[in-house]
Amino acid sequence: MNGGDKILNRIKSDCDEKIKEIEIQASEKCDEILAEAKGQAEKISAQIAEQAKKKIAQINATSKSRAELEVRNTLLKKRRSEIDRTVDGILDYLLNLSDSDYFEFIYKLASQLDGMSGVIAMNSKDKSRLPKDFTDRLAEAGLKAEVSDDTVDIVGGFILKHGDIEENMGFGALIDAKRDELEDYINRELFSE
């Protein structure tokens, strides 16, 4: 081997060593970069997972709250419907009493106006079926009243006019006035647990 070959071999050997050194450094740097990237990916993945858990929990809480609200609203609508149906049933019951029972109820209403006097106005149906002793029975109940020739637009009951004052004893007005009490009673009877 001549001197030129030795120099070339030496350069080649030095280059091979340098290449190995660079490859080792590159491999270490690559491993370091991969490890760092893996750590960052795991960190980001954990953050995304945590955000997803929070979002899922929030969606679940919102859904549960909406479902509870929907159930509550449905129950309230059902209660309202049952209360309305019951109140309508009360009115229907009163309007369909036999004439004698109907007027007995009217006398009971009149007794609530004990000591008053005036003119009673009724709807045309009730006026056409008045008992012969109607004003006498009103007086027995404590109400001195004459029956008006005019009729009023109420579903049942009567209106007492005395002076400038009217006492509305119409069934609709009485039910409206007692609606809260009726609703409380119906709630207790139908929906108490």
Side-chain angles (χ1 to χ4, degrees), residues 49-174:
E50 186 61 32
Q51 287 173 348
K53 283 181 187 176
K54 287 179 182 177
K55 188 71 173 174
I56 289 168
Q58 183 181 27
I59 289 169
N60 285 340
T62 302
S63 296
K64 182 180 179 186
S65 178
R66 280 188 195 146
E68 289 172 349
L69 180 62
E70 192 62 34
V71 166
R72 194 169 38 251
N73 285 342
T74 301
L75 287 174
L76 287 174
K77 284 179 187 176
K78 183 64 177 166
R79 281 185 178 193
R80 173 65 46 211
S81 170
E82 290 300 319
I83 288 169
D84 289 344
R85 202 173 75 155
T86 304
V87 169
D88 290 345
I90 292 169
L91 184 59
D92 188 54
Y93 170 79
L94 291 173
L95 294 175
N96 289 304
L97 288 171
S98 67
D99 287 354
S100 62
D101 289 340
Y102 182 87
F103 283 101
E104 284 302 319
F105 187 74
I106 295 292
Y107 303 138
K108 286 180 185 175
L109 290 178
S111 70
Q112 294 177 16
L113 304 175
D114 188 23
M116 292 185 175
S117 61
V119 177
I120 283 186
M122 305 179 97
N123 66 32
S124 58
K125 178 184 174 187
D126 291 348
K127 189 173 177 197
S128 69
R129 62 182 179 154
L130 284 176
K132 292 181 186 199
D133 61 346
F134 181 69
T135 54
D136 293 336
R137 293 288 308 274
L138 287 177
E140 288 174 19
L143 176 62
K144 288 189 174 188
E146 298 175 16
V147 178
S148 172
D149 291 334
D150 298 327
T151 58
V152 289
D153 187 22
I154 57 176
V155 292
F158 62 90
I159 295 176
L160 174 68
K161 296 177 185 180
H162 53 110
D164 293 338
I165 299 171
E166 286 187 0
E167 297 289 335
N168 191 342
M169 301 304 277
F171 294 162
L174 293 172

